[in-house]
Amino acid sequence: MEYLHSLFDTKLDCDTAITVGKFDGVHRGHHLLASDIISKNNEGLASCMITFTNSPRQVINDDNSPSLITNKERMYMLEQGGLNYLIECPFDERLMNTEAFDFIKFLCDNLNMKYMVSGSDFTFGKYGAGNTSMLKDISKDLGFEYKEIKKIQINDRDISSTYIREELKEGHIDIVNEMLGYDYFVWGEVVHGAHLGTKIGIPTINIMPSALKLVPKFGVYVTNIDFDGRIYHGVTNVGTKPSVSDKNIVGIETHILDYNGDLYGKYVKVTFKAFLRPEMKFDSVDELKTQMAKDKIVAKDYFNKG
């Protein structure tokens, strides 16, 4: 995959199949769009996804809330899918103020767009004036084929990044994973904590999530831990560890079942399988240890039944 950092300075010589959007989470709906343009390789078109380094909601609504996926994670996922070009550009004043028709004409003239696909709610151009009806109207005049893909639904509601964020904040990880089409994950470097887990006989690893990444509802989860090419089972606490700290720093602390190696400095991927309970504050370390032991049993039962 060729990774490009600018839209307006890019010119491609090959004919392309294009889709445009933030693609936060790369959920099942996004996967349909990506798969559709990648399938056009068989027709001699290079697949090209145009996305943004920042969220449009930051610019339009001054919303700086974290995303479901970091730019690096998104790039990795799309690369694994066989995409030819990923153009990742800033959603800035120039892009936001480009007239809808001019934007599509640019794609045709500079990126040789011969095919475009979008979801049914796709809008683009200044004030969001462009939509799917406009694309159908101008596609013949500009010489490209356009396809609209209807939204996938779950629980009588369209799958969307907004819907996924809502459910993640509620700890409904099963619904989140169903909408994503994969298990939600947090990736990071193992850092030193207070080493309390080791002292009480239940060693844990700690990672500090990126400030750009939305973490699930504070609580305890059944998880998988991926490192060194292997996958282990575990139980993970997301939150501030109120029983042992008053610093209010959000962290992700995991006990890996049947593993006792040294992972400091290594990067691990923690994927969330099921929600066990909310984060709790215990009156003593002994109470915390007892609950952690119970959580281990529940987690082992989950995997044994699976």
Side-chain angles (χ1 to χ4, degrees), residues 21-27 30 51-71 74 90-92 95-96 123 160-166 168-169 184 211-215:
K22 181 63 174 84
F23 304 109
D24 185 19
V26 193
H27 58 61
H30 299 150
T51 188
F52 314 115
T53 54
N54 57 321
S55 174
R57 69 177 186 272
Q58 293 176 336
V59 180
I60 298 172
N61 301 320
D62 196 27
D63 180 355
N64 293 309
S65 57
S67 298
L68 296 169
I69 197 168
T70 66
N71 293 343
R74 180 181 58 196
F91 189 87
D92 54 17
L95 182 60
M96 189 169 63
T123 60
S160 69
S161 300
T162 298
Y163 187 14
I164 295 171
R165 284 193 291 270
E166 290 174 5
L168 191 66
K169 291 176 181 177
Y184 194 72
L212 303 176
K213 176 91 172 184
L214 182 63
V215 299

mmCIF file of all heavy atoms in Angstrom, residues 21-27 30 51-71 74 90-92 95-96 123 160-166 168-169 184 211-215:
data_model
loop_
_atom_site.group_PDB
_atom_site.id
_atom_site.type_symbol
_atom_site.label_atom_id
_atom_site.label_comp_id
_atom_site.label_asym_id
_atom_site.label_seq_id
_atom_site.Cartn_x
_atom_site.Cartn_y
_atom_site.Cartn_z
ATOM 1 N N GLY A 21 -13.874 9.294 3.508
ATOM 2 C CA GLY A 21 -14.504 9.394 4.818
ATOM 3 C C GLY A 21 -13.484 9.341 5.935
ATOM 4 O O GLY A 21 -12.297 9.106 5.700
ATOM 5 N N LYS A 22 -13.937 9.543 7.169
ATOM 6 C CA LYS A 22 -13.041 9.451 8.339
ATOM 7 C C LYS A 22 -12.756 8.007 8.691
ATOM 8 O O LYS A 22 -11.669 7.674 9.161
ATOM 9 C CB LYS A 22 -13.682 10.160 9.546
ATOM 10 C CG LYS A 22 -12.806 10.140 10.799
ATOM 11 C CD LYS A 22 -11.499 10.884 10.587
ATOM 12 C CE LYS A 22 -10.682 10.987 11.887
ATOM 13 N NZ LYS A 22 -9.864 9.814 12.153
ATOM 14 N N PHE A 23 -13.717 7.145 8.505
ATOM 15 C CA PHE A 23 -13.561 5.711 8.757
ATOM 16 C C PHE A 23 -13.081 5.437 10.181
ATOM 17 O O PHE A 23 -12.179 4.630 10.398
ATOM 18 C CB PHE A 23 -12.614 5.080 7.734
ATOM 19 C CG PHE A 23 -13.035 5.314 6.304
ATOM 20 C CD1 PHE A 23 -12.312 6.162 5.490
ATOM 21 C CD2 PHE A 23 -14.166 4.725 5.798
ATOM 22 C CE1 PHE A 23 -12.716 6.417 4.177
ATOM 23 C CE2 PHE A 23 -14.589 4.963 4.486
ATOM 24 C CZ PHE A 23 -13.853 5.812 3.680
ATOM 25 N N ASP A 24 -13.694 6.117 11.154
ATOM 26 C CA ASP A 24 -13.330 5.911 12.546
ATOM 27 C C ASP A 24 -13.792 4.534 12.998
ATOM 28 O O ASP A 24 -14.983 4.223 13.011
ATOM 29 C CB ASP A 24 -13.964 7.002 13.419
ATOM 30 C CG ASP A 24 -13.520 6.910 14.870
ATOM 31 O OD1 ASP A 24 -12.488 6.259 15.120
ATOM 32 O OD2 ASP A 24 -14.196 7.483 15.741
ATOM 33 N N GLY A 25 -12.841 3.699 13.364
ATOM 34 C CA GLY A 25 -13.150 2.347 13.808
ATOM 35 C C GLY A 25 -13.012 1.300 12.723
ATOM 36 O O GLY A 25 -12.864 0.122 13.003
ATOM 37 N N VAL A 26 -13.080 1.719 11.441
ATOM 38 C CA VAL A 26 -13.083 0.760 10.320
ATOM 39 C C VAL A 26 -14.075 -0.362 10.643
ATOM 40 O O VAL A 26 -13.714 -1.542 10.708
ATOM 41 C CB VAL A 26 -11.676 0.215 10.019
ATOM 42 C CG1 VAL A 26 -11.658 -0.505 8.670
ATOM 43 C CG2 VAL A 26 -10.645 1.334 9.992
ATOM 44 N N HIS A 27 -15.332 0.030 10.874
ATOM 45 C CA HIS A 27 -16.362 -0.931 11.248
ATOM 46 C C HIS A 27 -16.903 -1.677 10.026
ATOM 47 O O HIS A 27 -16.394 -1.527 8.903
ATOM 48 C CB HIS A 27 -17.479 -0.248 12.034
ATOM 49 C CG HIS A 27 -18.161 0.888 11.326
ATOM 50 N ND1 HIS A 27 -18.842 0.728 10.134
ATOM 51 C CD2 HIS A 27 -18.291 2.206 11.655
ATOM 52 C CE1 HIS A 27 -19.365 1.881 9.754
ATOM 53 N NE2 HIS A 27 -19.045 2.799 10.650
ATOM 54 N N HIS A 30 -17.692 0.382 6.966
ATOM 55 C CA HIS A 30 -16.468 0.843 6.306
ATOM 56 C C HIS A 30 -15.805 -0.297 5.543
ATOM 57 O O HIS A 30 -15.251 -0.091 4.450
ATOM 58 C CB HIS A 30 -15.482 1.386 7.344
ATOM 59 C CG HIS A 30 -15.995 2.563 8.113
ATOM 60 N ND1 HIS A 30 -15.620 2.834 9.407
ATOM 61 C CD2 HIS A 30 -16.875 3.544 7.762
ATOM 62 C CE1 HIS A 30 -16.226 3.933 9.825
ATOM 63 N NE2 HIS A 30 -16.995 4.375 8.848
ATOM 64 N N THR A 51 -8.912 9.709 3.485
ATOM 65 C CA THR A 51 -9.358 9.889 4.858
ATOM 66 C C THR A 51 -8.618 11.059 5.480
ATOM 67 O O THR A 51 -7.847 11.748 4.815
ATOM 68 C CB THR A 51 -9.188 8.589 5.664
ATOM 69 O OG1 THR A 51 -9.803 8.738 6.942
ATOM 70 C CG2 THR A 51 -7.721 8.239 5.830
ATOM 71 N N PHE A 52 -8.831 11.279 6.774
ATOM 72 C CA PHE A 52 -8.358 12.508 7.398
ATOM 73 C C PHE A 52 -7.498 12.223 8.624
ATOM 74 O O PHE A 52 -7.738 11.272 9.363
ATOM 75 C CB PHE A 52 -9.548 13.387 7.797
ATOM 76 C CG PHE A 52 -10.582 13.508 6.711
ATOM 77 C CD1 PHE A 52 -11.861 12.993 6.883
ATOM 78 C CD2 PHE A 52 -10.266 14.100 5.502
ATOM 79 C CE1 PHE A 52 -12.801 13.079 5.879
ATOM 80 C CE2 PHE A 52 -11.203 14.186 4.486
ATOM 81 C CZ PHE A 52 -12.480 13.675 4.672
ATOM 82 N N THR A 53 -6.502 13.067 8.840
ATOM 83 C CA THR A 53 -5.647 12.936 10.013
ATOM 84 C C THR A 53 -6.379 13.364 11.278
ATOM 85 O O THR A 53 -6.044 12.924 12.381
ATOM 86 C CB THR A 53 -4.386 13.794 9.860
ATOM 87 O OG1 THR A 53 -4.767 15.150 9.578
ATOM 88 C CG2 THR A 53 -3.517 13.287 8.721
ATOM 89 N N ASN A 54 -7.361 14.224 11.131
ATOM 90 C CA ASN A 54 -8.171 14.687 12.254
ATOM 91 C C ASN A 54 -9.639 14.457 11.937
ATOM 92 O O ASN A 54 -10.006 14.264 10.780
ATOM 93 C CB ASN A 54 -7.916 16.170 12.533
ATOM 94 C CG ASN A 54 -8.179 17.042 11.306
ATOM 95 O OD1 ASN A 54 -7.867 16.654 10.186
ATOM 96 N ND2 ASN A 54 -8.752 18.208 11.513
ATOM 97 N N SER A 55 -10.471 14.475 12.949
ATOM 98 C CA SER A 55 -11.889 14.225 12.736
ATOM 99 C C SER A 55 -12.604 15.491 12.281
ATOM 100 O O SER A 55 -12.385 16.571 12.857
ATOM 101 C CB SER A 55 -12.532 13.720 14.026
ATOM 102 O OG SER A 55 -13.929 13.594 13.869
ATOM 103 N N PRO A 56 -13.464 15.403 11.270
ATOM 104 C CA PRO A 56 -14.263 16.570 10.868
ATOM 105 C C PRO A 56 -15.059 17.161 12.022
ATOM 106 O O PRO A 56 -15.309 18.371 12.048
ATOM 107 C CB PRO A 56 -15.185 15.997 9.787
ATOM 108 C CG PRO A 56 -14.400 14.877 9.186
ATOM 109 C CD PRO A 56 -13.660 14.272 10.338
ATOM 110 N N ARG A 57 -15.445 16.326 12.990
ATOM 111 C CA ARG A 57 -16.229 16.858 14.104
ATOM 112 C C ARG A 57 -15.408 17.819 14.966
ATOM 113 O O ARG A 57 -15.967 18.683 15.651
ATOM 114 C CB ARG A 57 -16.808 15.723 14.949
ATOM 115 C CG ARG A 57 -15.819 14.920 15.751
ATOM 116 C CD ARG A 57 -16.507 13.861 16.608
ATOM 117 N NE ARG A 57 -15.587 13.177 17.490
ATOM 118 C CZ ARG A 57 -14.890 12.105 17.162
ATOM 119 N NH1 ARG A 57 -15.043 11.573 15.966
ATOM 120 N NH2 ARG A 57 -14.045 11.555 18.024
ATOM 121 N N GLN A 58 -14.055 17.674 14.915
ATOM 122 C CA GLN A 58 -13.207 18.613 15.640
ATOM 123 C C GLN A 58 -13.299 20.009 15.041
ATOM 124 O O GLN A 58 -13.352 21.009 15.755
ATOM 125 C CB GLN A 58 -11.755 18.129 15.614
ATOM 126 C CG GLN A 58 -11.488 16.856 16.390
ATOM 127 C CD GLN A 58 -10.050 16.391 16.250
ATOM 128 O OE1 GLN A 58 -9.368 16.714 15.290
ATOM 129 N NE2 GLN A 58 -9.580 15.631 17.227
ATOM 130 N N VAL A 59 -13.302 20.063 13.716
ATOM 131 C CA VAL A 59 -13.310 21.347 13.015
ATOM 132 C C VAL A 59 -14.705 21.953 12.999
ATOM 133 O O VAL A 59 -14.884 23.153 13.235
ATOM 134 C CB VAL A 59 -12.785 21.170 11.573
ATOM 135 C CG1 VAL A 59 -12.786 22.498 10.822
ATOM 136 C CG2 VAL A 59 -11.376 20.579 11.587
ATOM 137 N N ILE A 60 -15.694 21.119 12.732
ATOM 138 C CA ILE A 60 -17.061 21.620 12.554
ATOM 139 C C ILE A 60 -17.750 21.869 13.894
ATOM 140 O O ILE A 60 -18.409 22.902 14.083
ATOM 141 C CB ILE A 60 -17.883 20.629 11.703
ATOM 142 C CG1 ILE A 60 -17.248 20.496 10.300
ATOM 143 C CG2 ILE A 60 -19.328 21.079 11.591
ATOM 144 C CD1 ILE A 60 -17.862 19.398 9.456
ATOM 145 N N ASN A 61 -17.586 20.942 14.838
ATOM 146 C CA ASN A 61 -18.325 21.027 16.100
ATOM 147 C C ASN A 61 -17.444 21.286 17.315
ATOM 148 O O ASN A 61 -17.931 21.259 18.450
ATOM 149 C CB ASN A 61 -19.109 19.728 16.322
ATOM 150 C CG ASN A 61 -20.097 19.450 15.209
ATOM 151 O OD1 ASN A 61 -20.750 20.356 14.716
ATOM 152 N ND2 ASN A 61 -20.207 18.193 14.804
ATOM 153 N N ASP A 62 -16.144 21.504 17.084
ATOM 154 C CA ASP A 62 -15.197 21.704 18.185
ATOM 155 C C ASP A 62 -15.256 20.547 19.171
ATOM 156 O O ASP A 62 -15.191 20.727 20.391
ATOM 157 C CB ASP A 62 -15.483 23.041 18.893
ATOM 158 C CG ASP A 62 -14.306 23.481 19.771
ATOM 159 O OD1 ASP A 62 -13.172 23.103 19.462
ATOM 160 O OD2 ASP A 62 -14.546 24.190 20.769
ATOM 161 N N ASP A 63 -15.383 19.344 18.635
ATOM 162 C CA ASP A 63 -15.487 18.122 19.432
ATOM 163 C C ASP A 63 -14.143 17.407 19.400
ATOM 164 O O ASP A 63 -13.741 16.860 18.371
ATOM 165 C CB ASP A 63 -16.589 17.223 18.856
ATOM 166 C CG ASP A 63 -16.758 15.929 19.639
ATOM 167 O OD1 ASP A 63 -15.967 15.677 20.569
ATOM 168 O OD2 ASP A 63 -17.683 15.164 19.307
ATOM 169 N N ASN A 64 -13.426 17.420 20.515
ATOM 170 C CA ASN A 64 -12.098 16.811 20.575
ATOM 171 C C ASN A 64 -12.105 15.465 21.293
ATOM 172 O O ASN A 64 -11.072 15.034 21.808
ATOM 173 C CB ASN A 64 -11.124 17.765 21.279
ATOM 174 C CG ASN A 64 -10.865 19.016 20.468
ATOM 175 O OD1 ASN A 64 -10.540 18.945 19.293
ATOM 176 N ND2 ASN A 64 -11.020 20.174 21.096
ATOM 177 N N SER A 65 -13.252 14.822 21.345
ATOM 178 C CA SER A 65 -13.338 13.527 22.020
ATOM 179 C C SER A 65 -12.498 12.486 21.273
ATOM 180 O O SER A 65 -12.314 12.578 20.060
ATOM 181 C CB SER A 65 -14.791 13.078 22.106
ATOM 182 O OG SER A 65 -15.383 13.011 20.827
ATOM 183 N N PRO A 66 -11.969 11.491 22.000
ATOM 184 C CA PRO A 66 -11.115 10.479 21.381
ATOM 185 C C PRO A 66 -11.847 9.666 20.307
ATOM 186 O O PRO A 66 -13.079 9.600 20.288
ATOM 187 C CB PRO A 66 -10.710 9.591 22.565
ATOM 188 C CG PRO A 66 -10.945 10.417 23.776
ATOM 189 C CD PRO A 66 -12.108 11.292 23.449
ATOM 190 N N SER A 67 -11.076 9.029 19.456
ATOM 191 C CA SER A 67 -11.620 8.221 18.371
ATOM 192 C C SER A 67 -11.564 6.736 18.727
ATOM 193 O O SER A 67 -10.905 6.327 19.687
ATOM 194 C CB SER A 67 -10.829 8.474 17.089
ATOM 195 O OG SER A 67 -10.935 9.824 16.687
ATOM 196 N N LEU A 68 -12.256 5.939 17.924
ATOM 197 C CA LEU A 68 -12.264 4.498 18.127
ATOM 198 C C LEU A 68 -10.951 3.854 17.706
ATOM 199 O O LEU A 68 -10.616 2.747 18.154
ATOM 200 C CB LEU A 68 -13.409 3.857 17.327
ATOM 201 C CG LEU A 68 -14.826 4.252 17.735
ATOM 202 C CD1 LEU A 68 -15.830 3.760 16.693
ATOM 203 C CD2 LEU A 68 -15.173 3.710 19.113
ATOM 204 N N ILE A 69 -10.239 4.535 16.851
ATOM 205 C CA ILE A 69 -9.020 3.959 16.302
ATOM 206 C C ILE A 69 -8.034 5.091 16.029
ATOM 207 O O ILE A 69 -8.433 6.195 15.666
ATOM 208 C CB ILE A 69 -9.342 3.172 15.010
ATOM 209 C CG1 ILE A 69 -8.215 2.228 14.628
ATOM 210 C CG2 ILE A 69 -9.687 4.092 13.858
ATOM 211 C CD1 ILE A 69 -8.598 1.233 13.538
ATOM 212 N N THR A 70 -6.757 4.843 16.249
ATOM 213 C CA THR A 70 -5.749 5.842 15.931
ATOM 214 C C THR A 70 -5.415 5.770 14.444
ATOM 215 O O THR A 70 -5.711 4.767 13.766
ATOM 216 C CB THR A 70 -4.464 5.631 16.749
ATOM 217 O OG1 THR A 70 -3.854 4.392 16.344
ATOM 218 C CG2 THR A 70 -4.771 5.588 18.243
ATOM 219 N N ASN A 71 -4.791 6.808 13.931
ATOM 220 C CA ASN A 71 -4.432 6.827 12.508
ATOM 221 C C ASN A 71 -3.487 5.675 12.161
ATOM 222 O O ASN A 71 -3.596 5.063 11.093
ATOM 223 C CB ASN A 71 -3.785 8.160 12.142
ATOM 224 C CG ASN A 71 -4.767 9.318 12.228
ATOM 225 O OD1 ASN A 71 -5.981 9.121 12.253
ATOM 226 N ND2 ASN A 71 -4.253 10.532 12.285
ATOM 227 N N ARG A 74 -5.491 2.440 12.012
ATOM 228 C CA ARG A 74 -6.310 2.418 10.798
ATOM 229 C C ARG A 74 -5.464 2.070 9.580
ATOM 230 O O ARG A 74 -5.856 1.267 8.728
ATOM 231 C CB ARG A 74 -6.987 3.770 10.607
ATOM 232 C CG ARG A 74 -7.880 3.869 9.368
ATOM 233 C CD ARG A 74 -8.485 5.253 9.258
ATOM 234 N NE ARG A 74 -7.445 6.270 9.199
ATOM 235 C CZ ARG A 74 -7.656 7.568 9.410
ATOM 236 N NH1 ARG A 74 -8.872 7.997 9.726
ATOM 237 N NH2 ARG A 74 -6.664 8.434 9.325
ATOM 238 N N PRO A 90 -5.212 16.405 6.169
ATOM 239 C CA PRO A 90 -5.921 17.138 7.231
ATOM 240 C C PRO A 90 -7.285 17.621 6.756
ATOM 241 O O PRO A 90 -7.433 18.045 5.611
ATOM 242 C CB PRO A 90 -4.992 18.315 7.534
ATOM 243 C CG PRO A 90 -4.202 18.510 6.283
ATOM 244 C CD PRO A 90 -4.027 17.141 5.689
ATOM 245 N N PHE A 91 -8.271 17.533 7.629
ATOM 246 C CA PHE A 91 -9.566 18.142 7.358
ATOM 247 C C PHE A 91 -9.434 19.587 7.823
ATOM 248 O O PHE A 91 -9.609 19.906 8.999
ATOM 249 C CB PHE A 91 -10.690 17.418 8.103
ATOM 250 C CG PHE A 91 -12.068 17.873 7.696
ATOM 251 C CD1 PHE A 91 -12.699 17.292 6.617
ATOM 252 C CD2 PHE A 91 -12.716 18.888 8.381
ATOM 253 C CE1 PHE A 91 -13.970 17.713 6.215
ATOM 254 C CE2 PHE A 91 -13.977 19.321 8.001
ATOM 255 C CZ PHE A 91 -14.603 18.734 6.916
ATOM 256 N N ASP A 92 -9.082 20.467 6.873
ATOM 257 C CA ASP A 92 -8.770 21.848 7.217
ATOM 258 C C ASP A 92 -9.702 22.814 6.495
ATOM 259 O O ASP A 92 -10.660 22.403 5.826
ATOM 260 C CB ASP A 92 -7.307 22.156 6.878
ATOM 261 C CG ASP A 92 -6.954 21.827 5.427
ATOM 262 O OD1 ASP A 92 -7.888 21.666 4.600
ATOM 263 O OD2 ASP A 92 -5.758 21.744 5.104
ATOM 264 N N LEU A 95 -10.036 22.265 2.606
ATOM 265 C CA LEU A 95 -10.896 21.140 2.235
ATOM 266 C C LEU A 95 -12.356 21.444 2.567
ATOM 267 O O LEU A 95 -13.257 21.183 1.762
ATOM 268 C CB LEU A 95 -10.439 19.879 2.959
ATOM 269 C CG LEU A 95 -11.205 18.593 2.646
ATOM 270 C CD1 LEU A 95 -11.118 18.255 1.172
ATOM 271 C CD2 LEU A 95 -10.665 17.437 3.488
ATOM 272 N N MET A 96 -12.586 22.000 3.744
ATOM 273 C CA MET A 96 -13.946 22.263 4.193
ATOM 274 C C MET A 96 -14.646 23.290 3.300
ATOM 275 O O MET A 96 -15.863 23.238 3.126
ATOM 276 C CB MET A 96 -13.926 22.762 5.639
ATOM 277 C CG MET A 96 -15.300 22.870 6.284
ATOM 278 S SD MET A 96 -15.209 23.155 8.066
ATOM 279 C CE MET A 96 -14.398 24.752 8.115
ATOM 280 N N THR A 123 -21.942 12.942 2.771
ATOM 281 C CA THR A 123 -22.014 14.346 2.351
ATOM 282 C C THR A 123 -20.596 14.876 2.206
ATOM 283 O O THR A 123 -19.657 14.365 2.836
ATOM 284 C CB THR A 123 -22.779 15.213 3.363
ATOM 285 O OG1 THR A 123 -22.127 15.162 4.636
ATOM 286 C CG2 THR A 123 -24.229 14.746 3.500
ATOM 287 N N SER A 160 -22.827 2.836 12.953
ATOM 288 C CA SER A 160 -22.060 4.059 12.721
ATOM 289 C C SER A 160 -21.015 4.193 13.816
ATOM 290 O O SER A 160 -21.124 3.566 14.880
ATOM 291 C CB SER A 160 -22.975 5.286 12.740
ATOM 292 O OG SER A 160 -23.467 5.521 14.048
ATOM 293 N N SER A 161 -20.008 5.023 13.570
ATOM 294 C CA SER A 161 -18.983 5.265 14.586
ATOM 295 C C SER A 161 -19.600 5.884 15.835
ATOM 296 O O SER A 161 -19.200 5.577 16.961
ATOM 297 C CB SER A 161 -17.890 6.174 14.016
ATOM 298 O OG SER A 161 -17.287 5.583 12.890
ATOM 299 N N THR A 162 -20.597 6.745 15.638
ATOM 300 C CA THR A 162 -21.268 7.374 16.778
ATOM 301 C C THR A 162 -21.967 6.337 17.648
ATOM 302 O O THR A 162 -21.853 6.355 18.888
ATOM 303 C CB THR A 162 -22.299 8.409 16.285
ATOM 304 O OG1 THR A 162 -21.620 9.432 15.560
ATOM 305 C CG2 THR A 162 -23.054 9.030 17.449
ATOM 306 N N TYR A 163 -22.686 5.425 17.014
ATOM 307 C CA TYR A 163 -23.391 4.360 17.731
ATOM 308 C C TYR A 163 -22.395 3.487 18.497
ATOM 309 O O TYR A 163 -22.608 3.137 19.670
ATOM 310 C CB TYR A 163 -24.192 3.540 16.730
ATOM 311 C CG TYR A 163 -25.114 2.485 17.305
ATOM 312 C CD1 TYR A 163 -25.452 2.455 18.657
ATOM 313 C CD2 TYR A 163 -25.673 1.520 16.470
ATOM 314 C CE1 TYR A 163 -26.303 1.486 19.162
ATOM 315 C CE2 TYR A 163 -26.533 0.551 16.964
ATOM 316 C CZ TYR A 163 -26.836 0.534 18.311
ATOM 317 O OH TYR A 163 -27.681 -0.427 18.816
ATOM 318 N N ILE A 164 -21.278 3.156 17.862
ATOM 319 C CA ILE A 164 -20.265 2.321 18.505
ATOM 320 C C ILE A 164 -19.672 3.032 19.714
ATOM 321 O O ILE A 164 -19.493 2.432 20.781
ATOM 322 C CB ILE A 164 -19.158 1.939 17.501
ATOM 323 C CG1 ILE A 164 -19.737 1.055 16.388
ATOM 324 C CG2 ILE A 164 -18.013 1.204 18.211
ATOM 325 C CD1 ILE A 164 -18.790 0.803 15.244
ATOM 326 N N ARG A 165 -19.384 4.322 19.584
ATOM 327 C CA ARG A 165 -18.843 5.073 20.721
ATOM 328 C C ARG A 165 -19.830 5.084 21.890
ATOM 329 O O ARG A 165 -19.433 4.955 23.054
ATOM 330 C CB ARG A 165 -18.487 6.501 20.290
ATOM 331 C CG ARG A 165 -17.202 6.616 19.489
ATOM 332 C CD ARG A 165 -16.749 8.060 19.367
ATOM 333 N NE ARG A 165 -17.647 8.843 18.527
ATOM 334 C CZ ARG A 165 -17.521 8.988 17.215
ATOM 335 N NH1 ARG A 165 -16.514 8.387 16.588
ATOM 336 N NH2 ARG A 165 -18.362 9.720 16.522
ATOM 337 N N GLU A 166 -21.101 5.240 21.590
ATOM 338 C CA GLU A 166 -22.120 5.240 22.642
ATOM 339 C C GLU A 166 -22.119 3.916 23.407
ATOM 340 O O GLU A 166 -22.164 3.891 24.645
ATOM 341 C CB GLU A 166 -23.503 5.482 22.030
ATOM 342 C CG GLU A 166 -23.720 6.887 21.497
ATOM 343 C CD GLU A 166 -25.049 7.017 20.778
ATOM 344 O OE1 GLU A 166 -25.832 6.048 20.775
ATOM 345 O OE2 GLU A 166 -25.307 8.100 20.207
ATOM 346 N N LEU A 168 -19.718 1.668 23.547
ATOM 347 C CA LEU A 168 -18.436 1.436 24.211
ATOM 348 C C LEU A 168 -18.405 2.145 25.562
ATOM 349 O O LEU A 168 -17.903 1.597 26.554
ATOM 350 C CB LEU A 168 -17.292 1.938 23.322
ATOM 351 C CG LEU A 168 -15.884 1.544 23.750
ATOM 352 C CD1 LEU A 168 -15.689 0.043 23.641
ATOM 353 C CD2 LEU A 168 -14.837 2.274 22.897
ATOM 354 N N LYS A 169 -18.956 3.341 25.605
ATOM 355 C CA LYS A 169 -18.995 4.099 26.864
ATOM 356 C C LYS A 169 -19.903 3.443 27.895
ATOM 357 O O LYS A 169 -19.767 3.692 29.096
ATOM 358 C CB LYS A 169 -19.464 5.523 26.593
ATOM 359 C CG LYS A 169 -18.452 6.361 25.807
ATOM 360 C CD LYS A 169 -19.008 7.743 25.478
ATOM 361 C CE LYS A 169 -18.024 8.559 24.673
ATOM 362 N NZ LYS A 169 -18.580 9.890 24.286
ATOM 363 N N TYR A 184 -12.803 -5.068 19.773
ATOM 364 C CA TYR A 184 -12.198 -3.774 20.075
ATOM 365 C C TYR A 184 -10.899 -3.983 20.834
ATOM 366 O O TYR A 184 -10.787 -4.881 21.663
ATOM 367 C CB TYR A 184 -13.151 -2.931 20.919
ATOM 368 C CG TYR A 184 -12.749 -1.475 20.988
ATOM 369 C CD1 TYR A 184 -12.886 -0.641 19.883
ATOM 370 C CD2 TYR A 184 -12.210 -0.929 22.157
ATOM 371 C CE1 TYR A 184 -12.512 0.690 19.934
ATOM 372 C CE2 TYR A 184 -11.828 0.402 22.218
ATOM 373 C CZ TYR A 184 -11.983 1.203 21.100
ATOM 374 O OH TYR A 184 -11.595 2.521 21.153
ATOM 375 N N ALA A 211 -4.046 9.164 24.292
ATOM 376 C CA ALA A 211 -5.107 10.135 24.587
ATOM 377 C C ALA A 211 -6.075 10.268 23.423
ATOM 378 O O ALA A 211 -7.187 10.779 23.582
ATOM 379 C CB ALA A 211 -4.486 11.484 24.918
ATOM 380 N N LEU A 212 -5.650 9.808 22.246
ATOM 381 C CA LEU A 212 -6.486 9.902 21.050
ATOM 382 C C LEU A 212 -7.434 8.717 20.921
ATOM 383 O O LEU A 212 -8.299 8.708 20.043
ATOM 384 C CB LEU A 212 -5.599 9.995 19.796
ATOM 385 C CG LEU A 212 -4.596 11.145 19.754
ATOM 386 C CD1 LEU A 212 -3.732 11.043 18.499
ATOM 387 C CD2 LEU A 212 -5.317 12.484 19.806
ATOM 388 N N LYS A 213 -7.259 7.711 21.784
ATOM 389 C CA LYS A 213 -8.017 6.465 21.677
ATOM 390 C C LYS A 213 -9.087 6.386 22.755
ATOM 391 O O LYS A 213 -8.805 6.565 23.941
ATOM 392 C CB LYS A 213 -7.052 5.289 21.814
ATOM 393 C CG LYS A 213 -7.692 3.907 21.815
ATOM 394 C CD LYS A 213 -7.769 3.327 20.439
ATOM 395 C CE LYS A 213 -8.222 1.882 20.456
ATOM 396 N NZ LYS A 213 -8.222 1.275 19.134
ATOM 397 N N LEU A 214 -10.306 6.104 22.365
ATOM 398 C CA LEU A 214 -11.410 5.970 23.313
ATOM 399 C C LEU A 214 -11.311 4.622 24.029
ATOM 400 O O LEU A 214 -11.280 3.574 23.385
ATOM 401 C CB LEU A 214 -12.747 6.084 22.584
ATOM 402 C CG LEU A 214 -14.005 6.022 23.447
ATOM 403 C CD1 LEU A 214 -14.058 7.192 24.411
ATOM 404 C CD2 LEU A 214 -15.253 6.010 22.562
ATOM 405 N N VAL A 215 -11.261 4.662 25.357
ATOM 406 C CA VAL A 215 -11.225 3.414 26.116
ATOM 407 C C VAL A 215 -12.654 3.031 26.500
ATOM 408 O O VAL A 215 -13.537 3.894 26.596
ATOM 409 C CB VAL A 215 -10.348 3.536 27.377
ATOM 410 C CG1 VAL A 215 -8.918 3.861 27.017
ATOM 411 C CG2 VAL A 215 -10.914 4.566 28.349
#
